[in-house]
Amino acid sequence: MPDNTINAHNSAQQLLGLTQRTTGQWLTQIGLEPTRPSATKERTGKNMTPEVVHERFAQYLKDQDLDGLGSLFDEDAMFVPGPGQKPVYGREGIKEALKVYLDSPSTIEVGATSVHQNGDLAMVQASWRITSESGTVEGKALEVMRRTSEGDWGYIIDNPYGV
């Protein structure tokens, strides 16, 4: 028998016309194709794609793994923390700037809207949404990635708010 209990949460959702959506539904709604692991997309090595960095970022954020997040950035990378804020340089400085995202458990939904690859460099535009206990933040990122000698991709420039 279905649970028809009315509570403050589902009552507010009904009142506001909100429905629960999966990540895939949200990405589709904003015009993106959900990224799903598949046998055709390489996760490591020479055939890995830049989009895999987003998958790893999401997993490391969910796991609250600061070292994992830091591993996605080149040693001399640049990170733009937000509008009006000065860029942060270097992996260790970026890890320090990312600590704020680990203050409470959160998840990220992210999808590349465009990827332009030229050899070992890629310019990526992505839409993202972070949901945590304190609320939801979303944005459109501009990123530059470089392929390493091992074939993995990492951020050279990460500008999550596109400013």
Side-chain angles (χ1 to χ4, degrees):
M1 178 188 268
D3 180 9
N4 294 323
T5 306
I6 300 294
N7 61 40
H9 178 72
N10 64 21
S11 179
Q13 282 187 321
Q14 291 171 355
L15 180 66
L16 296 172
L18 301 174
T19 58
Q20 291 185 336
R21 296 176 296 196
T22 66
T23 300
Q25 290 169 327
W26 176 77
L27 289 171
T28 301
Q29 181 182 353
I30 63 169
L32 301 176
E33 173 129 0
T35 303
R36 294 185 179 90
S38 71
T40 59
K41 237 186 198 180
E42 292 291 327
R43 298 281 158 278
T44 60
K46 297 289 183 194
N47 296 318
M48 181 183 147
T49 63
E51 295 93 337
V52 173
V53 174
H54 296 144
E55 294 172 19
R56 290 180 179 173
F57 193 99
Q59 188 62 51
Y60 294 144
L61 183 66
K62 180 180 175 187
D63 295 343
Q64 293 187 298
D65 182 351
L66 185 60
D67 289 330
L69 288 169
S71 74
L72 300 175
F73 291 84
D74 188 81
E75 190 64 41
D76 299 317
M78 182 182 84
F79 175 73
V80 182
Q85 297 181 21
K86 293 183 179 181
V88 176
Y89 296 91
R91 182 179 293 140
E92 292 306 313
I94 292 169
K95 284 172 53 177
E96 196 63 35
L98 292 173
K99 282 183 179 179
V100 68
Y101 294 100
L102 304 181
D103 286 344
S104 65
S106 58
T107 58
I108 186 169
E109 302 164 40
V110 63
T113 56
S114 70
V115 177
H116 300 281
Q117 186 176 335
N118 183 3
D120 290 338
L121 295 175
M123 182 176 63
V124 181
Q125 204 171 16
S127 291
W128 56 268
R129 173 187 288 177
I130 295 177
T131 305
S132 71
E133 294 169 351
S134 57
T136 300
V137 179
E138 54 187 31
K140 295 186 183 295
L142 297 174
E143 307 160 337
V144 177
M145 298 182 195
R146 177 174 31 218
R147 185 175 18 219
T148 68
S149 58
E150 293 83 31
D152 290 332
W153 287 85
Y155 294 110
I156 298 173
I157 301 172
D158 184 11
N159 186 350
Y161 296 92
V163 294

